[in-house]
Amino acid sequence: MSALLDTLSWVLLTLGGLSVLIGGIGALRMPDLYTRMHAASVTDSLGAILVLGGIMLQAGWSLATIKLFAILLFLLLTSPTSSYALASAALLAGQRPFADASQDGEGPE
Amino acid sequence: MIVMFGIFLLTLLVITAIAIVRTDNLFVAVMLMGIASLLIAANFFLLDAADVALTEAAVGAGISTVLFLGALALTSERERAKSWNRLLSFIVVAAAALILIYATFDKPRFGDPEAPVQVHVAPWYLEKTPEYIDIPNVVTAVLGSFRGYDTLGEVFVVFTAGIGVLFLLGGGKAGGAVPEEEIDEGLRHHLIPRVVGRVLIPFILLFGLYVQFHGEYGPGGGFQAGAIIAAAIILFALLEGENRALSVLPERVLLGLMACGPLLYGAVGLAGIIFGGNFLDYSVLSSNPVKGQQLGILLIEAGVGISVTGVLLGIFHAFAARDS
Amino acid sequence: MELLGIYNYWVFAVLLMTGFYAVVAKRNLVKKLLGLSLFQSAVFLLYITMGKVEGGTAPIFPEAGAAVFSNPLPQVLILTAIVVGISTTALGLGIVVRVKEEYGSIEEHKIQEIDER
Amino acid sequence: MYYVVTIATLVTMGLALVRALLGPSVYDRVLAVNMLGTKTVLLLSVIAFLYGRPDFLDLALAYALINFIGVLAVLEFFRSRALRRNAERGARQ
Amino acid sequence: MNALAQHLPALQVVVPMLAAPVVVLLRPRGLAWAAATATSVLAFAISVQLVQAVLEGGPTSYLMGSWPAPYGIELRVDALSALLLLAVTGASVLALVGGRDSLDSQIDVGRQPYFYAAWLLALAGLCGIVVAADAFNIFVFMEISSLASYVVVAGGPDRRALPAVFKYLIMGTIGATFYLIGIGLIYMMTGTLNLADMEFRIHAVADQRPILAAAGFITVGLALKAAIFPLHVWLPNAYTYAPHMVTAFLAACSTKVSLYVLLRFDFFVFQDNLTGHAFQFAAYLMPLAILGILVGSAVAMFEKNVKRLLAFSSVAQIGYMMLGASLVTVAGLTAGIVHIFNHALAKGALFLAVASFATIAAGLRLDDLKGIARRMPWTFGAFVVAGLSLIGIPGTAGFVSKWYLISAAMEFGAAGLPLVFIILVSSLMAVVYIWRIVEATCFTKAEDEPASGASASPVLVAVLWLAAAANIYFGLAPALPLTLAGDAATELLGHLP
């Protein structure tokens, strides 16, 4: 049982690390703000779930798990909120998504 | 392996620092400063300084960014001048750097348990804390009791900054071009942040109280808690607008908090004298010296928390009120 | 371990000098304050680095088992210093805002020009 | 196994930093700061376990919360800046 | 009373410090001045008590929180600190008592509670530095006093106060941070923060590179704070544009307190522990002291604004103190320390007189003060007395310290003659710049005689004459400062072979 949990948590951790990394690469390589934001925010949430879930399995049933759960909940609430707010602020300020960027360049800074 | 993590973080830190100096967009510089704070804090954590990491994150990455942004909103975002006296500055800086690098060669080895720092005063704290004060967090014990007088001074530094900003910016508002109602609505039209923020604020406050009263057992204490509670109320002010926040916590209340925190701390110190000990001697506060110490630390941490909350909010409001 | 020791001190020196350079050479008042914060952060790093003990852990007694602890004293000092730093920054920003209101600029040489006029 | 995650997080922090330095728009930089913040939270959670001191998870929680407030402060800054610019433009006309 | 007597070192700091939040909360607002003044008087009374205690029983020490010395924080009052406490608290009392009208006219009532609170904090910070016997504690109180000084200086009505105070803030913070680096390096090598313990333990690691670097950083950092030439650039503007009373208070004591810390470190901690330290100290600081004396006096001779003129004169006077110290003899150090006290008397009185002039003059340029002596003969008289003391005319306090300085230089025989020459030359320069003010105020007529009947408040004139009388009293009967300074000098140099 414990070996199973261990393996499962390792898998989760590895996947989490991978998705975090993908998010990082995406944020660097994507062509414009909105696609970068997409890469960053999706993997932010997924990575957080996987990594914190993996650690939770390692920690077992303890106070630490509750704290981890709180952190996870917090991240899941705030991270998409920040992304949304940022995107809306950028859009209102006149940053156009990549699709129409061909007409007016990168948009104002 | 952890050593490598540390080196990596420090390298990122140096890159960030150089970028801060080079950019001419002050907004970007402030953002990078936030990053630098996070990196330093993570590094403090690697170096076993949990309390310091918590403070640096709350103060450096949180409050400091908010204050810088508040000031930028009132001034300008662009740095228009080139540096001057580059050569002279460079020489001064390089001279100081050479002295520092010169000094590194006789330094005790990093992490050496036999270094003078580790064998003289510090072991006494680690050894005597369980006996005299009996709380797990030695940092809190030293901060609150052994070197409590420093902490008293620190509270007064914060207080001085608070009254200083109020003295400079309080009263006589500078008229702006933006209509009051419009500037004051905060982020109220952003529905999602507003709902999420409202849900979170009580939990942040709760967490602040936890940090305040858990400071004897884990990382935390008055400063960190004060910064977190202030951050929660700043969040409220951001979401609901300055006036709503001020109606919840009017300026007079803030001023009261600002002044009562230091007074509470001082009163605990004077109680030491009244009950026959020295100033800031908490042992005499209770018939059991250890209990007295714990009570004293609890009270002064409360004083610290109150004053930090009051001062940070007071400063934030002073900046925000200038806006309208 | 040896490497990190020297590396930490060198990063301290570099950071210190970067911040110091910004304070001395830049003429924008906000930039000067940013430099000042950086300058102070470097000193924090110096103190915390010297408190670390090899194989030690944070000086908070865990529930079970004695261990090697890092030095609590530098941490206490730096807690104080961080708070002092933010206080200075806040006061400095207050002055900058007032300067902007009175002079309409936050560039040192422009202020000088206005004064000499 | 924690090491793998730690390294992945650190590398991502590096990448985010590069994004913050490159920009090009201020929103990119805010995005990068936000990303760095969440990665720091993950990093601290993992290292707390690596050090065998799970009681330090409080720190990670504090970071998560400070990060959120920072981003909202930036947004408010953008909003008030836009308002001020509009007002100035209006005053000029 | 007796029970409280042992707590006096702590109360000296705590009383003004805790009074500050109370002042902020007081209603009505007019009470702020009264409360601040009462607190200052109390602090002065405490320092008088401490001086007596030191004269009778030698240094006293106080353990904060009853923790033993290197672990807890120790306070220590010896002859040197007692003398400075007297100067600091005395200056605060005089400036506050005399300065009510002047401050009312320069700072509006709504902001006054903050101002007086900051004043008390500055007072508490300065006292805290002087009584502390712990290196880091000195840093904390240095920051309290600096931040509070920035606030009170920024209270100046002229907008030029703001850039001046910003510069002061930047340079002050750099100084404090350098000091912190120095402390860090020493701590790293010795593991202690208590000054006495540090002095004891530094033996073992003396002459290692971090200690040398630390000595450099501490000296430079404190020299910045003490405005030792050429690091004085923040001082003239900050003093010129501060409210007049603030200038009187700060000019009398704030840089001196930094100088005090410098002397503590260089003589108490490093002296004798670093090879050739005495020589290096003298070799680096004496030229700076001499340059400071000459340049400060020369600039003062050509300066047109009275406050600026006196500020540059302060730079020169700090040079005298450094010169005395850089002789590294008991006589020289005594002279330097006595001059700290006497200069506080003279400069405090001069700035009080300037504040009094300012109540009716249009501005503080020499041209604005034309003929003012006739309208304010009493103020003018006190100004002349204090000016004579600054120059060092026999019968005034300034003469005592210069006399001691010259005789200390003469101990070196022929080698001391150039120093004597420099002291005489700079005294002549002081004659010139004081004469310029006297000439402007007394011997030139104002073009248009203003009809306003306003005059300085009688309280201010009374306080001013009190300060002037002190200049004469300590010139004729200099026993008190001389005894304390002599004790201090022997104590600082005591462990030399």
Side-chain angles (χ1 to χ4, degrees), chain B residues 102-103 106-107 116-117 120-121 124-125 132 145-147 149-150 152-153 156-157 159-160 163-164 167 259 266 273 277-281 293, chain E residues 7 13-14 17 62-67 71-73 111 121 134 136-137 141 144 147-148 151 155 187-189 191-192 197 201 209-210 213:
Chain B
Y102 164 80
D106 279 342
K107 275 180 179 167
V117 186
H120 186 39
V121 172
W124 188 87
Y125 292 134
Y132 289 138
S145 186
F146 296 123
R147 293 188 70 89
Y149 183 52
D150 269 353
L152 176 67
F156 274 91
V157 172
F159 176 69
T160 313
I163 60 168
F167 178 68
I273 291 186
N278 273 359
F279 189 70
L280 290 175
D281 185 351
Q293 288 287 346
Chain E
H7 297 296
V13 186
V14 171
M17 198 151 82
Y62 186 83
L63 298 175
M64 273 292 166
S66 310
W67 299 113
Y71 311 111
I73 294 173
R111 293 162 80 208
L121 287 167
D134 184 283
F136 192 79
N137 195 241
F141 279 89
I144 295 183
L147 283 181
V151 176
Y187 174 66
M188 184 164 69
M189 302 307 287
T192 185
D197 198 27
R201 295 178 62 88
R209 283 182 254 193

Coordinates of all heavy atoms in Angstrom, one line a residue, chain B residues 102-103 106-107 116-117 120-121 124-125 132 145-147 149-150 152-153 156-157 159-160 163-164 167 259 266 273 277-281 293, chain E residues 7 13-14 17 62-67 71-73 111 121 134 136-137 141 144 147-148 151 155 187-189 191-192 197 201 209-210 213:
Chain B
Y102 N 38.6 42.0 -0.7 CA 39.8 41.8 0.1 C 39.5 41.2 1.5 O 40.2 40.3 2.0 CB 40.5 43.2 0.3 CG 41.5 43.4 1.4 CD1 42.8 43.0 1.2 CD2 41.2 44.0 2.6 CE1 43.8 43.1 2.1 CE2 42.1 44.2 3.6 CZ 43.4 43.7 3.3 OH 44.3 43.9 4.3
A103 N 38.4 41.7 2.0 CA 38.0 41.2 3.4 C 37.5 39.7 3.3 O 37.6 39.0 4.3 CB 36.9 42.0 3.9
D106 N 40.0 36.3 4.7 CA 40.2 35.8 6.0 C 38.9 35.3 6.7 O 38.8 35.0 7.8 CB 40.9 36.8 6.9 CG 42.3 36.8 6.7 OD1 42.8 35.9 6.1 OD2 43.0 37.8 7.0
K107 N 37.8 35.4 5.9 CA 36.5 35.1 6.6 C 36.5 33.6 7.0 O 37.1 32.7 6.3 CB 35.4 35.3 5.6 CG 35.0 36.8 5.6 CD 33.9 37.0 4.6 CE 33.5 38.5 4.7 NZ 32.7 38.9 3.6
P116 N 33.6 31.9 14.9 CA 33.4 32.6 16.2 C 31.9 32.9 16.4 O 31.5 32.9 17.6 CB 34.2 33.9 16.0 CG 35.1 33.7 14.8 CD 34.6 32.5 14.0
V117 N 31.2 33.2 15.3 CA 29.8 33.5 15.5 C 29.0 32.4 16.1 O 28.1 32.6 16.9 CB 29.2 33.8 14.1 CG1 27.8 34.3 14.2 CG2 30.1 34.8 13.3
H120 N 30.4 31.7 20.3 CA 30.4 32.7 21.4 C 29.0 32.9 22.0 O 28.5 32.2 22.8 CB 31.1 34.0 21.1 CG 31.2 34.9 22.2 ND1 31.5 34.5 23.5 CD2 31.1 36.3 22.3 CE1 31.5 35.5 24.3 NE2 31.3 36.6 23.6
V121 N 28.3 33.9 21.5 CA 27.0 34.3 22.2 C 25.8 33.4 21.8 O 25.0 33.0 22.7 CB 26.7 35.7 21.9 CG1 25.3 36.1 22.3 CG2 27.7 36.6 22.5
W124 N 24.6 30.2 23.8 CA 23.9 30.5 25.0 C 22.4 30.7 24.8 O 21.6 30.2 25.6 CB 24.5 31.8 25.6 CG 24.1 32.2 27.0 CD1 24.6 31.7 28.1 CD2 23.0 33.0 27.3 NE1 24.0 32.3 29.2 CE2 22.9 33.1 28.7 CE3 22.0 33.7 26.6 CZ2 22.0 33.8 29.4 CZ3 21.1 34.5 27.3 CH2 21.1 34.5 28.7
Y125 N 22.0 31.3 23.7 CA 20.6 31.5 23.4 C 19.9 30.2 23.2 O 18.9 29.9 23.8 CB 20.4 32.4 22.2 CG 20.8 33.8 22.3 CD1 21.6 34.4 21.3 CD2 20.4 34.6 23.4 CE1 21.9 35.8 21.4 CE2 20.8 35.9 23.5 CZ 21.5 36.5 22.5 OH 21.9 37.8 22.6
Y132 N 14.9 29.5 30.4 CA 14.4 30.8 30.9 C 13.0 31.1 30.3 O 12.2 31.8 30.9 CB 15.3 31.9 30.5 CG 16.6 31.9 31.4 CD1 17.8 32.1 30.8 CD2 16.6 31.6 32.7 CE1 19.0 32.1 31.5 CE2 17.7 31.6 33.5 CZ 19.0 31.8 32.9 OH 20.1 31.8 33.6
S145 N 12.8 39.0 24.1 CA 13.2 39.2 25.5 C 14.7 39.5 25.6 O 15.1 40.5 26.1 CB 12.9 37.9 26.3 OG 13.2 38.1 27.6
F146 N 15.6 38.6 25.1 CA 17.0 38.8 25.3 C 17.5 40.2 24.7 O 18.2 40.9 25.2 CB 17.8 37.7 24.7 CG 17.6 36.4 25.3 CD1 17.2 35.3 24.6 CD2 17.8 36.2 26.7 CE1 16.9 34.1 25.2 CE2 17.5 35.0 27.3 CZ 17.1 33.9 26.6
R147 N 17.0 40.4 23.5 CA 17.3 41.7 22.8 C 16.0 42.5 22.6 O 15.8 43.2 21.6 CB 18.0 41.5 21.5 CG 19.4 40.9 21.7 CD 20.2 40.9 20.4 NE 20.5 42.2 20.0 CZ 21.7 42.8 20.3 NH1 22.5 42.2 21.1 NH2 21.9 44.0 19.9
Y149 N 15.1 45.2 23.8 CA 15.3 46.7 23.7 C 15.5 47.1 22.3 O 15.0 48.1 21.9 CB 16.4 47.0 24.6 CG 16.8 48.5 24.7 CD1 15.8 49.4 25.1 CD2 18.1 48.9 24.5 CE1 16.1 50.7 25.2 CE2 18.4 50.2 24.7 CZ 17.4 51.2 25.0 OH 17.8 52.5 25.1
D150 N 16.2 46.3 21.5 CA 16.3 46.5 20.1 C 15.0 46.6 19.4 O 14.7 47.4 18.6 CB 17.2 45.4 19.4 CG 18.6 45.7 19.4 OD1 19.0 46.9 19.8 OD2 19.4 44.9 19.0
L152 N 12.1 47.1 20.7 CA 11.4 48.4 21.1 C 11.9 49.5 20.2 O 11.0 50.3 19.7 CB 11.7 48.7 22.6 CG 11.2 50.0 23.1 CD1 9.7 49.9 23.2 CD2 11.7 50.3 24.5
G153 N 13.2 49.6 20.0 CA 13.7 50.7 19.2 C 13.1 50.5 17.8 O 12.7 51.5 17.1
F156 N 9.8 51.8 17.4 CA 9.8 53.3 17.3 C 10.3 53.8 16.0 O 9.9 54.9 15.5 CB 10.5 53.9 18.5 CG 9.6 54.0 19.7 CD1 9.5 53.0 20.6 CD2 8.8 55.1 19.8 CE1 8.7 53.1 21.7 CE2 8.0 55.2 20.9 CZ 7.9 54.2 21.8
V157 N 11.2 53.0 15.3 CA 11.6 53.4 14.0 C 10.4 53.4 13.1 O 10.1 54.4 12.3 CB 12.7 52.5 13.4 CG1 12.9 52.8 12.0 CG2 13.9 52.6 14.2
F159 N 7.3 53.6 13.9 CA 6.4 54.7 14.4 C 6.9 56.1 13.8 O 6.1 56.9 13.3 CB 6.4 54.7 15.9 CG 5.6 55.9 16.5 CD1 4.2 55.9 16.3 CD2 6.2 56.9 17.1 CE1 3.5 56.9 16.8 CE2 5.5 57.9 17.7 CZ 4.1 58.0 17.5
T160 N 8.2 56.3 13.9 CA 8.7 57.5 13.3 C 8.4 57.7 11.9 O 8.0 58.7 11.4 CB 10.3 57.6 13.5 OG1 10.6 57.2 14.8 CG2 10.8 58.9 13.3
I163 N 4.7 58.6 11.5 CA 4.3 60.0 11.7 C 5.0 60.9 10.7 O 4.5 62.0 10.4 CB 4.6 60.5 13.2 CG1 6.1 60.3 13.5 CG2 3.7 59.8 14.2 CD1 6.4 61.1 14.8
G164 N 6.2 60.5 10.3 CA 6.9 61.3 9.3 C 6.1 61.4 8.0 O 5.9 62.5 7.4
F167 N 3.1 63.5 8.6 CA 3.6 64.9 8.7 C 3.8 65.5 7.3 O 3.4 66.6 7.0 CB 4.8 65.0 9.5 CG 5.4 66.4 9.6 CD1 4.8 67.4 10.3 CD2 6.6 66.7 9.0 CE1 5.3 68.6 10.5 CE2 7.1 68.0 9.1 CZ 6.5 69.0 9.8
A259 N -0.2 54.7 17.6 CA 0.4 55.2 18.8 C 0.3 54.2 20.0 O 1.1 54.1 20.8 CB -0.3 56.5 19.3
G266 N 6.0 49.8 25.5 CA 6.6 50.6 26.5 C 6.1 50.3 27.9 O 6.8 50.2 28.9
I273 N 9.8 47.6 35.6 CA 10.4 48.5 36.7 C 9.5 48.5 37.9 O 9.9 48.4 39.0 CB 10.6 49.9 36.1 CG1 11.7 49.9 35.1 CG2 10.9 50.9 37.3 CD1 12.1 51.3 34.6
G277 N 11.8 44.8 38.7 CA 12.9 44.3 37.9 C 13.5 45.5 37.2 O 13.3 46.6 37.5
N278 N 14.3 45.1 36.1 CA 14.8 46.2 35.3 C 13.8 46.5 34.2 O 12.8 45.7 34.0 CB 16.1 45.7 34.6 CG 17.3 46.1 35.5 OD1 17.1 46.7 36.6 ND2 18.5 45.7 35.1
F279 N 14.1 47.5 33.4 CA 13.2 47.8 32.2 C 13.2 46.6 31.3 O 14.2 46.0 31.0 CB 13.7 49.0 31.5 CG 12.8 49.6 30.5 CD1 11.6 50.2 30.8 CD2 13.1 49.5 29.1 CE1 10.7 50.6 29.8 CE2 12.3 49.9 28.1 CZ 11.1 50.5 28.5
L280 N 12.0 46.2 30.8 CA 11.8 45.1 29.9 C 12.1 43.7 30.6 O 12.4 42.8 29.9 CB 12.6 45.3 28.6 CG 12.2 46.3 27.7 CD1 13.1 46.4 26.5 CD2 10.8 46.0 27.1
D281 N 12.2 43.7 31.9 CA 12.3 42.4 32.5 C 11.0 41.8 32.8 O 10.2 42.3 33.6 CB 13.0 42.6 33.9 CG 13.4 41.3 34.6 OD1 12.9 40.3 34.1 OD2 14.1 41.3 35.6
Q293 N 7.9 35.6 31.4 CA 8.6 35.8 30.2 C 7.6 35.6 29.0 O 7.5 36.4 28.1 CB 9.8 34.9 30.0 CG 11.0 35.3 30.9 CD 11.7 36.5 30.4 OE1 11.4 37.0 29.3 NE2 12.5 37.1 31.3
Chain E
H7 N 17.5 53.2 37.7 CA 16.9 53.0 36.3 C 17.1 54.2 35.4 O 16.7 54.2 34.3 CB 15.4 52.8 36.4 CG 15.0 51.5 37.1 ND1 15.4 50.3 36.7 CD2 14.4 51.3 38.3 CE1 15.0 49.3 37.5 NE2 14.4 49.9 38.5
V13 N 16.3 57.4 28.0 CA 15.9 57.1 26.7 C 14.4 56.9 26.6 O 13.7 57.5 25.7 CB 16.5 55.9 26.1 CG1 16.2 55.7 24.7 CG2 18.0 55.9 26.3
V14 N 13.8 56.2 27.6 CA 12.5 55.7 27.4 C 11.5 56.9 27.6 O 10.4 56.9 27.0 CB 12.2 54.6 28.5 CG1 10.8 54.3 28.5 CG2 13.0 53.4 28.1
M17 N 11.0 58.8 24.5 CA 10.5 57.9 23.5 C 9.0 57.7 23.7 O 8.2 57.8 22.7 CB 11.3 56.6 23.5 CG 11.2 55.8 22.3 SD 12.7 54.9 22.1 CE 12.4 53.5 23.1
Y62 N 23.7 49.4 33.0 CA 22.3 49.0 33.3 C 22.0 47.8 32.3 O 22.4 47.9 31.1 CB 21.4 50.2 33.0 CG 19.9 49.9 33.3 CD1 19.5 50.1 34.6 CD2 19.0 49.5 32.3 CE1 18.1 49.8 34.9 CE2 17.7 49.3 32.6 CZ 17.3 49.5 33.9 OH 16.0 49.2 34.2
L63 N 21.4 46.8 32.9 CA 21.2 45.6 32.1 C 19.7 45.6 31.6 O 18.8 45.5 32.5 CB 21.5 44.3 32.8 CG 23.0 44.2 33.3 CD1 23.1 43.0 34.1 CD2 23.9 44.2 32.0
M64 N 19.5 45.7 30.4 CA 18.1 45.7 29.9 C 17.5 44.3 30.1 O 18.1 43.3 29.7 CB 18.1 46.1 28.4 CG 18.0 47.5 28.1 SD 16.4 48.2 28.6 CE 16.8 49.9 28.6
G65 N 16.3 44.3 30.7 CA 15.6 43.0 30.8 C 16.4 42.1 31.8 O 16.1 40.9 31.9
S66 N 17.4 42.7 32.6 CA 18.2 41.9 33.5 C 19.0 40.8 32.9 O 19.4 39.9 33.7 CB 17.3 41.3 34.7 OG 16.4 42.3 35.2
W67 N 19.1 40.7 31.6 CA 20.0 39.7 31.1 C 21.4 40.1 31.2 O 21.8 41.2 30.9 CB 19.6 39.4 29.6 CG 18.2 39.0 29.4 CD1 17.2 39.7 28.8 CD2 17.6 37.8 29.9 NE1 16.0 39.0 28.9 CE2 16.2 37.8 29.5 CE3 18.0 36.7 30.6 CZ2 15.3 36.8 29.8 CZ3 17.2 35.7 30.9 CH2 15.8 35.7 30.5
Y71 N 24.9 38.8 26.4 CA 23.7 38.2 25.8 C 22.5 39.2 25.7 O 21.9 39.2 24.7 CB 23.3 37.0 26.7 CG 24.5 36.1 27.0 CD1 25.0 36.0 28.2 CD2 25.1 35.4 25.9 CE1 26.2 35.2 28.5 CE2 26.3 34.7 26.1 CZ 26.8 34.5 27.4 OH 27.9 33.8 27.6
G72 N 22.3 39.9 26.8 CA 21.3 41.0 26.7 C 22.0 42.2 26.2 O 23.1 42.3 25.8
I73 N 21.2 43.3 26.3 CA 21.7 44.6 25.9 C 22.1 45.4 27.1 O 21.3 45.5 28.1 CB 20.7 45.4 25.0 CG1 20.5 44.6 23.7 CG2 21.1 46.8 24.8 CD1 19.4 45.2 22.9
R111 N -0.3 70.2 11.9 CA 0.8 69.2 11.8 C 1.7 69.2 13.0 O 2.6 68.4 13.0 CB 1.6 69.6 10.5 CG 0.8 69.4 9.2 CD 1.4 70.1 8.1 NE 2.6 69.4 7.5 CZ 3.6 70.0 6.9 NH1 3.6 71.3 6.8 NH2 4.6 69.3 6.5
L121 N 11.3 62.0 19.4 CA 12.0 60.8 18.9 C 13.4 61.1 18.6 O 14.3 60.2 18.9 CB 11.2 60.2 17.7 CG 9.9 59.6 18.1 CD1 9.1 59.3 16.9 CD2 10.1 58.3 18.9
D134 N 26.1 48.7 23.1 CA 25.9 47.5 22.2 C 25.9 48.0 20.8 O 25.2 48.9 20.5 CB 24.6 46.8 22.6 CG 24.3 45.6 21.8 OD1 24.0 45.7 20.6 OD2 24.5 44.5 22.4
F136 N 24.9 46.9 17.9 CA 23.7 46.9 17.0 C 22.6 47.9 17.6 O 21.9 48.5 16.8 CB 23.1 45.5 16.9 CG 22.1 45.4 15.9 CD1 22.4 45.3 14.5 CD2 20.7 45.4 16.2 CE1 21.5 45.3 13.5 CE2 19.8 45.4 15.2 CZ 20.1 45.3 13.9
N137 N 22.6 48.0 18.9 CA 21.6 48.9 19.5 C 21.9 50.3 19.1 O 21.0 51.1 18.9 CB 21.7 48.7 21.0 CG 20.6 49.4 21.7 OD1 20.7 50.3 22.5 ND2 19.4 48.9 21.4
F141 N 19.2 52.9 17.3 CA 18.8 54.3 17.8 C 19.3 55.3 16.9 O 18.8 56.4 16.7 CB 19.3 54.5 19.2 CG 18.4 53.9 20.2 CD1 18.5 52.6 20.6 CD2 17.3 54.6 20.7 CE1 17.6 52.0 21.4 CE2 16.4 54.0 21.5 CZ 16.5 52.7 21.9
I144 N 16.5 55.7 14.6 CA 15.4 56.5 15.1 C 15.8 57.9 15.0 O 15.0 58.8 14.5 CB 15.2 56.1 16.6 CG1 14.7 54.7 16.7 CG2 14.1 57.0 17.2 CD1 14.4 54.3 18.1
L147 N 15.8 59.1 11.2 CA 14.5 59.3 10.6 C 13.8 60.5 11.2 O 13.1 61.3 10.5 CB 13.7 58.0 10.8 CG 14.0 56.8 9.9 CD1 13.1 55.7 10.2 CD2 13.9 57.2 8.5
A148 N 13.8 60.6 12.5 CA 13.1 61.7 13.2 C 13.8 63.0 12.7 O 13.0 64.0 12.5 CB 13.2 61.6 14.7
V151 N 12.4 64.0 9.4 CA 11.1 64.6 9.5 C 11.1 66.0 10.0 O 10.5 66.9 9.4 CB 10.2 63.7 10.5 CG1 8.8 64.3 10.7 CG2 10.1 62.3 10.0
G155 N 10.2 69.8 7.9 CA 9.2 70.7 8.3 C 9.5 72.2 7.9 O 8.6 73.0 8.1
Y187 N 31.3 41.3 14.0 CA 30.5 40.2 14.6 C 30.9 38.9 14.0 O 31.1 37.9 14.8 CB 29.0 40.5 14.4 CG 28.2 39.4 14.9 CD1 28.1 39.1 16.2 CD2 27.5 38.5 14.0 CE1 27.3 38.0 16.7 CE2 26.7 37.5 14.4 CZ 26.6 37.2 15.8 OH 25.9 36.2 16.2
M188 N 31.2 38.8 12.8 CA 31.6 37.6 12.1 C 32.9 37.1 12.7 O 33.1 35.9 12.9 CB 31.7 37.8 10.6 CG 32.0 36.6 9.9 SD 31.7 36.9 8.2 CE 33.0 38.0 7.8
M189 N 33.8 38.0 13.1 CA 35.1 37.5 13.6 C 35.1 37.3 15.1 O 35.9 36.6 15.6 CB 36.1 38.5 13.2 CG 36.3 38.8 11.7 SD 36.5 37.3 10.8 CE 38.2 36.8 11.2
G191 N 31.9 37.2 17.2 CA 30.7 36.6 17.7 C 30.0 37.4 18.8 O 29.2 36.9 19.5
T192 N 30.3 38.7 18.9 CA 29.6 39.4 20.0 C 29.3 40.8 19.4 O 29.8 41.3 18.5 CB 30.5 39.5 21.2 OG1 29.8 40.2 22.2 CG2 31.8 40.3 20.9
D197 N 32.9 43.6 25.3 CA 33.2 42.2 25.0 C 33.9 42.2 23.7 O 34.9 41.4 23.5 CB 31.9 41.4 24.9 CG 32.1 39.9 25.0 OD1 33.1 39.5 25.6 OD2 31.3 39.2 24.4
R201 N 37.5 40.6 22.8 CA 37.7 39.4 21.9 C 38.4 39.8 20.6 O 38.8 38.9 19.9 CB 36.3 38.8 21.6 CG 35.7 38.2 22.9 CD 34.3 37.6 22.6 NE 34.4 36.6 21.6 CZ 34.6 35.3 21.9 NH1 34.7 35.0 23.2 NH2 34.7 34.4 21.0
R209 N 42.0 40.5 7.9 CA 41.4 41.4 7.0 C 40.0 41.9 7.2 O 39.7 43.1 7.1 CB 41.6 40.8 5.6 CG 43.0 41.0 5.1 CD 43.1 40.4 3.7 NE 43.8 39.1 3.8 CZ 44.3 38.5 2.7 NH1 44.2 39.0 1.5 NH2 44.9 37.4 2.8
P210 N 39.1 41.0 7.6 CA 37.7 41.5 7.9 C 37.7 42.6 8.9 O 36.9 43.6 8.8 CB 37.0 40.3 8.3 CG 37.7 39.1 7.7 CD 39.1 39.5 7.7
A213 N 38.8 45.8 7.3 CA 37.7 46.3 6.4 C 36.6 46.9 7.3 O 36.1 48.0 7.0 CB 37.2 45.2 5.5

